Amino acid sequence: MTFKTLPQDIVWRNGRIATMNTDLSIPYGLIENHDLVVRGNQIVAIVPTSEIEIDGNQVIDVEGRLITPGLIDCHTHLVFGGDRASEWEQRMNGVSYETISAQGGGINSTVRETRKMSESALFQRAKPRLEALINEGVTTIEMKSGYGLDYENEEKQLKVAKRLSVAYPITVSSTLLSAHTVPPEYKGKADEYIDLICQKIMPELWTKGLFDAVDVFCESVGFSLKQSEKLFSAAQRLGIPVKGHVEQLSNLGGSELVARYKGLSVDHIEYLDLEGIKALKASGTVAVLLPGAFYFLRETKLPPIELLREHQVPMAISTDFNPGTSPFASLRMIMNMAAVLFKLTPEEVWAGVTCHAAKALGRGDSHGQLKPNYVADFVVWDAKEPVEMVYEQGSNPMYMRVHEGIITHTN
């Protein structure tokens, strides 16, 4: 049966298309001798070249290059003030984190700098980080708050994320992470701070349309299970999706809590156990792996990759870009780390930055795969095989980047 194009359709021809289509059983969902048909901001068809009827359409011949979905960076803390380079140097010289924190360092130093900076200054600081990711093929990104820790400054961070989504050809998913740590003014009063989030920060910023999901750092140095559940319960009443920084330093059962609330994702999860994994499988929650933080902190406790595979829990991969534990604005480098440090296969790595990352953002029905009715976000690589982007670092094989059907970058 012949597929008939409409006059406005753009036909992408002669590409090796790694669709990452989860309905296909072939590696990477890779198909050849097919045309990718884009109408407006959507993919309308992927059909054999011999079965398409061209009628004056624009045809873009990629001359045998590889086409993949655009990369998705599903866990970042991209907007913040200051940096922690001097603290890192102290740590490399043998100074303990406890000593640095006692001197006013750690996350609270980033909170101080973020609070001091204006919205415009934070926007300018975030731009080169975002540009670096875009230039590697990222078309969708998550940005968390969590360095303001009060109403005014959490709002400021989220407004910067919104401005970045307007200024750049990229889809931004914003997450409220006010429950990142207890701010200095609430020291010893974590319950009161959770009440502030539940009663004011979260409902008012949600009403303003400034975020898409709510997150919490459920950990011995963060918030307890009881406090995290109070936050999730309040979010549920407002219809807000939840996710969690959990099981990074210990096993508190945070993943099971997120799963009970049908959360989008659990992130870090080095200490995740079998019961937690079974809960994730039952809830459809994505496990987000963050090898950059594992590497930067010289961790030795690996996430339970084999158990996640065995129970078929989808594994996403992200940069976790942040000033304290993963200052890496390169998702491709993180892809390599995921393969080398976590022993994921290259195909698992690709799923981790496409279809599984999309699901971790609640966008699994529209992003992260090349198939009809999905958003036309894709990258043309000067390469033949998907493994090439995982394998070689330091070069940039991106040939074209397409966001919502529009070519944004060409080499």
Side-chain angles (χ1 to χ4, degrees):
M1 183 175 177
T2 301
F3 177 84
K4 295 184 178 181
T5 58
L6 297 181
Q8 68 267 33
D9 293 348
I10 299 175
V11 178
W12 293 77
R13 176 160 287 179
N14 289 330
R16 304 186 74 240
I17 308 173
T19 65
M20 300 308 301
N21 185 337
T22 55
D23 298 328
L24 302 179
S25 58
I26 52 180
Y28 304 100
L30 200 152
I31 55 179
E32 300 186 76
N33 303 313
H34 280 62
D35 287 351
L36 178 69
V37 184
V38 174
R39 183 175 300 155
N41 66 351
Q42 282 195 321
I43 297 167
V44 292
I46 299 177
V47 292
T49 301
S50 60
E51 297 178 11
I52 189 169
E53 183 178 308
I54 301 292
D55 184 18
N57 300 97
Q58 181 182 0
V59 177
I60 299 175
D61 187 343
V62 300
E63 301 175 333
R65 293 179 174 88
L66 181 71
I67 302 176
T68 72
L71 305 183
I72 299 174
D73 198 355
C74 65
H75 179 134
T76 84
H77 306 251
L78 200 80
V79 179
F80 59 85
D83 67 59
R84 307 248 283 277
S86 60
E87 291 182 21
W88 182 69
E89 184 174 25
Q90 289 183 68
R91 280 170 36 207
M92 294 302 99
N93 287 332
V95 181
S96 71
Y97 180 80
E98 290 75 15
T99 299
I100 294 169
S101 184
Q103 295 170 347
I107 188 171
N108 280 323
S109 67
T110 302
V111 172
R112 284 195 305 274
E113 293 303 314
T114 302
R115 287 179 171 184
K116 285 193 297 188
M117 293 183 74
S118 68
E119 182 182 319
S120 293
L122 286 171
F123 177 79
Q124 292 299 324
R125 287 297 302 273
K127 284 173 61 176
R129 304 163 189 156
L130 183 58
E131 288 167 3
L133 291 162
I134 288 172
N135 289 337
E136 283 193 340
V138 173
T139 53
T140 300
I141 188 170
E142 187 245 26
M143 298 182 191
K144 302 180 190 294
S145 66
Y147 291 123
L149 305 186
D150 61 20
Y151 182 89
E152 177 187 357
N153 290 290
E154 289 289 290
E155 181 181 36
K156 181 172 66 177
Q157 278 191 276
L158 294 170
K159 281 184 173 180
V160 171
K162 185 77 73 175
R163 284 182 60 182
L164 290 166
S165 73
V166 173
Y168 288 92
I170 191 164
T171 300
V172 175
S173 182
S174 296
T175 298
L176 182 74
L177 183 57
S178 300
H180 195 185
T181 191
V182 179
E185 61 271 22
Y186 278 85
K187 186 176 181 180
K189 299 185 291 184
D191 286 335
E192 291 182 29
Y193 180 57
I194 287 291
D195 287 341
L196 175 69
I197 298 172
C198 293
Q199 295 168 14
K200 180 175 175 63
I201 296 175
M202 181 169 63
E204 293 190 15
L205 296 183
W206 177 249
T207 299
K208 292 182 177 182
L210 286 175
F211 64 93
D212 305 295
V214 66
D215 199 349
V216 61
F217 184 33
C218 180
E219 191 53 79
S220 56
V221 296
F223 295 91
S224 70
L225 274 177
K226 184 178 180 181
Q227 291 161 345
S228 300
E229 180 153 26
K230 186 171 189 177
L231 178 69
F232 286 173
S233 179
Q236 186 180 66
R237 289 193 295 272
L238 293 167
I240 304 172
V242 302
K243 54 179 65 180
H245 284 61
V246 294
E247 273 74 73
Q248 181 182 9
L249 307 174
S250 62
N251 187 349
L252 296 184
S255 293
E256 292 174 69
L257 174 64
V258 173
R260 284 206 303 275
Y261 282 84
K262 306 295 183 185
L264 295 174
S265 71
V266 291
D267 303 45
H268 287 291
I269 62 168
E270 281 84 348
Y271 286 82
L272 177 65
D273 63 9
L274 179 58
E275 291 308 307
I277 289 171
K278 289 179 178 178
L280 299 180
K281 175 62 177 177
S283 66
T285 301
V286 177
V288 178
L289 308 177
L290 305 170
F294 179 90
Y295 162 83
F296 198 70
L297 293 173
R298 297 175 173 174
E299 297 286 359
T300 56
K301 176 71 171 175
L302 287 164
I305 304 297
E306 283 299 332
L307 280 174
L308 290 165
R309 281 188 185 125
E310 180 184 336
H311 291 270
Q312 298 181 314
V313 174
M315 293 180 283
I317 298 160
S318 186
T319 61
D320 188 21
F321 184 91
N322 75 83
T325 63
S326 189
F328 305 120
S330 172
L331 186 54
R332 281 193 54 228
M333 184 176 73
I334 297 300
M335 291 165 69
N336 180 272
M337 286 185 183
V340 173
L341 298 178
F342 290 175
K343 300 181 181 179
L344 269 64
T345 68
E347 187 175 4
E348 287 174 328
V349 169
W350 265 103
V353 296
T354 55
C355 54
H356 295 337
K359 188 177 181 184
L361 296 179
R363 297 173 183 264
D365 294 332
S366 57
H367 292 72
Q369 301 177 57
L370 301 181
K371 59 198 294 189
N373 301 318
Y374 272 56
V375 174
D377 287 355
F378 55 91
V379 179
V380 181
W381 305 94
D382 203 359
K384 294 289 185 183
E385 304 293 341
V387 68
E388 295 176 46
M389 272 61 71
V390 183
Y391 161 71
E392 183 176 334
Q393 303 300 303
S395 61
N396 189 354
M398 187 174 79
Y399 182 73
M400 285 184 175
R401 176 185 181 274
V402 177
H403 177 252
E404 297 186 352
I406 297 172
I407 299 171
T408 66
H409 293 65
T410 57
N411 287 332

